[in-house]
Amino acid sequence: GGSGARPTGTGISYLRLAEGGTLILKDIELLPVQIQERLAALLAHDAAHRPSVFVVATSRAPLSELAQVGKVAAALLPAFARDPLFVPALRDRKRDIPELARHFVGRYAHRLSKAVNGLDDQALTKLVSYDYRSANVQELKEALERAVVLADGDTVGAEEIFLGTPAQPRRHVLNMLGSGSVWPRRVALALPKVARPLVALFFAALLYLCFWASPRDGSNLGVILVWSLWWPALALSFFVGRVWCVVCPMAQVGEVAQRLRALNRRVPEWLKRHDSHVALAGFAAIIWVEEATGMRHWPLATGLLLLSIMVGAVVTSVLYPRRTWCRHLCPLGFFSGCCAESALLELRPTLDVCSAKCTGHSCYKGRDSASGCPVFNHVMFIDSNRHCVLCMKCVQNCENGSVQLNLRLPASGIWARSHVQAPEARFVVALLGALLSLAVVQHVETAGHGFLSLLLAEHRAAVVTGSLALGLGIPLVGLEFLARRLRSRGNPASAERLWHHVVAWVPLLTTGFVAYQLAYVPGLPGLRLALGVTLPGEAPGQALWLPLLDLLRVALLVVGMVVTAAIMWQLVRASRGGDQPVKGRLTHLAAPMIYTVLLVLLLVRPAWLGL
């Protein structure tokens, strides 16, 4: 609304400076109430004092509503109630976004002297699809200014646009780079450089052993190293983060190919929209090939599997920028990113430093001495470990020392996340079903007798196919049915909470996969742990020998279940404002408990318990 006033007194004020013009008071509810009351007195002068200043006030809610909660002085209401103008939020007038976006890009390109003349279709789609809830048009302006700085070509692409509220600082973390000593930083930067060539040599040796070394059966050293060492080690690395992606030889070969020949095409929109489905299909195909063909005992097939993943990384690196393979296509990368949500390490920004000092955004763009983030991350907007490969490029490039390498409570970042998308939840629930299917196959295989074991031996491909189809299909169908029921009730927030609750299962998924893989560690299934206890009917002092593999599996699954239950407890408490009774919260924990019991019964051989 607007009103007029003639400033009084002899002191210098904004009203006096704006005399003869217009004074705009943005977000008037932020003014102290005492100042608002003085302004109301000025605007209430009688007709003898003709106004010479037109005063316009803006607010994020109707003044009457703000007055009821004490944010606006009641005396101001008559002055601004005469000519109110309601401007819908940007999310309610999305047709304006393309026009505003082009205007702001032109303005910032001119100011920064950059030859950026517009946005591509993917960037506009990303801007229009987003709901601006934190700062409205200001949020759009900040995103586009940052995008113009980040843009390398003549148009702004979707990868250069970062929307949403930056990740807020979290408590209960230990910044391993903040000790004041330079050694932690040097070690963090040196480890990837040292490990990458060693892993590349190891991988080259694996390919040689699989393709050219003898014998050509399950006793081949390459097969033993891949399935008995690499896969279990990969599973254990999930407790740290996506550390395998730091040293992955497939990505290294892709980077070499990119330096030799890079087309740098834009990543297709359909791929970014459906990347989780593509990765899930690839992961399911890998599992099926492993289990249906007996690849664990077939060197040539093992080598071809590794080589096919490398070819995918090379082709993608030649076609698209950076590590598009790792971000959008790699099945192992998606799986490790999913499990890394429960990891002990995380890279996060010091938000105040980023906001106050950052102008070049070198964590994304890179500098002359080092390239930018390989997977299109801007450290200021990282709120999960899904796409962070712990390459330390952001640590190396940040001139302000903003990046933190935090040691945190396992999976503490899951309940702190502000947003979880449906594709991520579908990926998690499908992997939970696949893990259960693998456990069934392993249980039948190790039993060595009975109808199911005979059926698996004679019709392995059919049994594995059926088990995986059920394991993947039933959870996905059930999740979609539940989501549609929630949407039909007219509460979209309930579906969003459902995705978050599904992702809370990641710790149990991670420990379950590790427990499954431990069976293939050489020598571990034969180890026993002696307990000095006396059982009924046994001679005093006789030890009880317990399989170490079973003990480790039970311990891992229990830990995973406890962490998952703790996250779900926190999520339910936050969604209900802490008002839900304890009994109501416990009902949400029944599903992970039942799932854990099923995995224990399938993975642990209970004969030593007398069952």
Side-chain angles (χ1 to χ4, degrees):
S3 183
R6 179 177 297 279
T8 59
T10 59
I12 296 177
S13 67
Y14 285 113
L15 287 169
R16 182 173 295 279
L17 291 173
E19 187 168 4
T22 302
L23 177 65
I24 299 177
L25 302 175
K26 184 179 179 182
D27 296 332
I28 194 172
E29 69 270 19
L30 300 181
L31 280 175
V33 175
Q34 295 85 350
I35 302 297
Q36 294 180 30
E37 292 174 345
R38 290 177 58 189
L39 176 63
L42 285 170
L43 298 178
H45 283 302
D46 56 32
H49 297 83
R50 294 291 180 182
S52 60
V53 178
F54 193 74
V55 181
V56 177
T58 71
S59 62
R60 299 195 180 191
L63 291 182
S64 57
E65 295 180 7
L66 294 172
Q68 291 178 359
V69 295
K71 291 185 177 181
V72 169
L76 270 180
L77 297 183
F80 291 103
R82 188 173 60 209
D83 301 308
L85 178 64
F86 175 73
V87 179
L90 186 59
R91 60 182 172 273
D92 297 326
R93 48 188 175 98
K94 291 192 173 183
R95 290 184 178 181
D96 296 344
I97 291 177
E99 187 82 21
L100 290 170
R102 296 186 188 98
H103 168 73
F104 291 133
V105 166
R107 176 198 292 182
Y108 296 129
H110 176 74
R111 194 182 77 186
L112 298 169
S113 300
K114 295 197 67 173
V116 179
N117 53 30
L119 303 94
D120 66 16
D121 293 339
Q122 294 183 18
L124 282 174
T125 300
K126 187 172 184 178
L127 291 172
V128 172
S129 301
Y130 178 73
D131 285 337
Y132 298 82
R133 297 189 177 276
S134 63
N136 229 351
V137 176
Q138 183 63 30
E139 189 176 358
L140 175 66
K141 291 170 62 177
E142 292 174 357
L144 290 172
E145 182 179 13
R146 186 166 44 243
V148 172
V149 174
L150 298 179
D152 291 326
D154 57 356
T155 58
V156 171
E159 288 79 14
E160 284 101 36
I161 294 177
F162 293 90
L163 295 163
T165 305
Q168 298 300 311
R170 294 199 298 110
R171 298 176 296 173
H172 312 304
V173 296
L174 174 64
N175 180 14
M176 301 174 68
L177 304 179
S179 63
S181 172
V182 298
W183 285 107
R185 177 184 171 90
R186 290 180 178 176
V187 170
L189 295 177
L191 279 177
K193 297 178 180 178
V194 173
R196 282 164 64 93
L198 296 178
V199 173
L201 288 174
F202 174 75
F203 190 76
L206 286 181
L207 290 177
Y208 170 78
L209 291 170
C210 289
F211 283 114
W212 293 288
S214 54
R216 311 301 298 164
D217 55 21
S219 61
N220 179 280
L221 182 58
V223 170
I224 295 173
L225 290 175
V226 169
W227 301 112
S228 300
L229 178 63
W230 178 47
W231 265 110
L234 178 64
L236 289 170
S237 72
F238 296 157
F239 293 125
V240 181
R242 288 186 66 170
V243 291
W244 167 252
C245 298
V246 185
V247 299
C248 175
M250 291 82 162
Q252 293 185 56
V253 175
E255 290 172 355
V256 172
Q258 198 170 69
R259 285 194 290 268
L260 296 175
R261 176 66 172 166
L263 300 179
N264 284 325
R265 297 178 180 175
R266 289 289 186 187
V267 182
E269 180 64 24
W270 67 265
L271 177 57
K272 289 186 287 188
R273 191 166 54 247
H274 301 292
D275 55 1
S276 62
H277 303 115
V278 174
L280 178 59
F283 191 77
I286 291 174
I287 292 175
W288 181 85
V289 170
E290 289 174 14
E291 298 296 336
T293 65
M295 186 181 289
R296 296 180 186 274
H297 310 287
W298 191 0
L300 180 60
T302 299
L304 289 174
L305 172 64
L306 299 178
L307 200 59
S308 65
I309 297 175
M310 180 180 292
V311 169
V314 169
V315 172
T316 307
S317 298
V318 171
L319 290 175
Y320 305 116
R322 308 199 186 197
R323 286 168 63 168
T324 298
W325 170 259
C326 302
R327 170 86 184 201
H328 294 295
L329 283 169
C330 180
L332 298 182
F334 253 79
F335 183 42
S336 62
C338 173
C339 294
E341 293 277 46
S342 58
L344 295 169
L345 293 181
E346 65 178 14
L347 282 172
R348 294 293 187 272
T350 304
L351 191 57
D352 293 340
V353 174
C354 288
S355 302
K357 295 185 177 181
C358 183
T359 57
H361 305 281
S362 56
C363 63
Y364 178 90
K365 291 189 65 175
R367 295 191 290 171
D368 294 338
S369 58
S371 58
C373 177
V375 285
F376 308 100
N377 280 333
H378 191 303
V379 71
M380 188 174 176
F381 291 89
I382 291 180
D383 68 345
S384 78
N385 282 4
R386 284 186 63 223
H387 298 304
C388 179
V389 296
L390 293 175
C391 62
M392 302 299 163
K393 293 288 187 182
C394 54
V395 177
Q396 182 178 358
N397 288 324
C398 182
E399 300 171 340
N400 303 312
S402 169
V403 186
Q404 302 177 9
L405 178 62
N406 292 331
L407 182 66
R408 66 181 190 181
L409 294 172
S412 59
I414 296 178
W415 74 65
R417 288 181 59 181
S418 59
H419 183 65
V420 175
Q421 296 180 337
E424 184 180 355
R426 294 189 187 104
F427 192 83
V428 171
V429 80
L431 291 183
L432 287 166
L435 175 60
L436 203 60
S437 297
L438 292 174
V440 169
V441 172
Q442 190 179 89
H443 178 86
V444 172
E445 195 170 34
T446 55
H449 58 81
F451 171 74
L452 291 179
S453 297
L454 181 62
L455 187 65
L456 180 63
E458 295 182 354
H459 305 283
R460 185 176 185 86
V463 172
V464 169
T465 302
S467 177
L468 280 177
L470 292 174
L472 291 168
I474 292 176
L476 285 172
V477 172
L479 181 66
E480 191 62 30
F481 174 77
L482 184 56
R484 289 190 177 186
R485 284 200 61 185
L486 292 175
R487 293 193 201 100
S488 66
R489 297 176 181 175
N491 187 4
S494 297
E496 174 114 1
R497 287 195 294 269
L498 173 64
W499 311 139
H500 211 156
H501 278 76
V502 171
V503 173
W505 286 62
V506 164
L508 181 54
L509 171 66
T510 305
T511 56
F513 186 78
V514 174
Y516 168 78
Q517 288 294 337
L518 286 180
Y520 302 106
V521 176
L524 184 58
L527 293 179
R528 298 289 186 273
L529 183 66
L531 295 180
V533 298
T534 301
L535 296 178
E538 300 289 346
Q542 185 172 347
L544 174 64
W545 291 88
L546 303 179
L548 184 59
L549 174 61
D550 289 352
L551 293 176
L552 289 175
R553 282 177 156 176
V554 171
L556 282 168
L557 293 173
V558 169
V559 168
M561 182 197 69
V562 169
V563 176
T564 292
I567 297 172
M568 295 187 73
W569 184 279
Q570 292 289 338
L571 292 177
V572 173
R573 183 183 179 205
S575 65
R576 302 297 175 89
D579 296 331
Q580 189 177 33
V582 173
K583 183 179 179 181
R585 296 186 205 172
L586 288 176
T587 58
H588 291 81
L589 310 183
M593 291 179 180
I594 294 172
Y595 184 87
T596 302
V597 171
L598 287 174
L599 280 181
V600 169
L601 293 176
L602 291 170
L603 294 177
V604 176
R605 304 300 297 167
W608 55 274
L609 291 175
L611 301 177

